[in-house]
Amino acid sequence: MTTLPPPSTDFYPEDSLEKKVYTIVDKFKENIPVSNDRNRLGYNLFKYLRGEGDAPEILVNSTKIKIEGITKKELALKLNDEISVIEK
């Protein structure tokens, strides 16, 4: 019995909004240890930047992510600071 090779993965270009948002979320790898939680937060932040989602203050609570070593309020403030750089 043989298996097929996995499909190739297409990565976002470095200057795309998606790549920038997921890079910001990956900076908080120590505070958000579960990779699926980081992906969920990144997707919701991407939607926020496109005008479709909630602000980081709301997302930190509504996405039900596991946070370690930092409060939800501090994380939301840091995310706002990082996002403000992208919005400029």
Side-chain angles (χ1 to χ4, degrees):
M1 183 172 178
T2 62
T3 59
L4 297 174
S8 62
T9 303
D10 293 332
F11 295 101
Y12 292 112
E14 291 295 324
D15 61 342
S16 70
L17 181 61
E18 293 93 342
K19 181 70 172 181
K20 292 176 183 177
V21 170
Y22 283 100
T23 301
I24 287 173
V25 174
D26 278 341
K27 290 180 183 178
F28 299 101
K29 200 176 261 190
E30 294 176 1
N31 302 113
I32 308 170
V34 181
S35 63
N36 194 35
D37 287 349
R38 289 192 304 273
N39 289 335
R40 189 178 325 117
L41 181 61
Y43 172 73
N44 284 296
L45 285 173
F46 171 69
K47 285 180 62 176
Y48 167 70
L49 289 173
R50 290 184 56 203
E52 300 174 5
D54 295 324
E57 295 84 10
I58 298 170
L59 288 177
V60 170
N61 289 321
S62 66
T63 54
K64 299 179 182 176
I65 57 176
K66 180 181 177 182
I67 301 172
E68 295 179 351
I70 192 172
T71 65
K72 290 182 179 184
K73 188 174 184 177
E74 291 173 334
L75 179 60
L77 289 173
K78 288 183 178 186
L79 287 171
N80 270 329
D81 292 341
E82 296 284 339
I83 287 174
S84 66
V85 173
I86 290 178
E87 291 177 330
K88 291 182 181 178

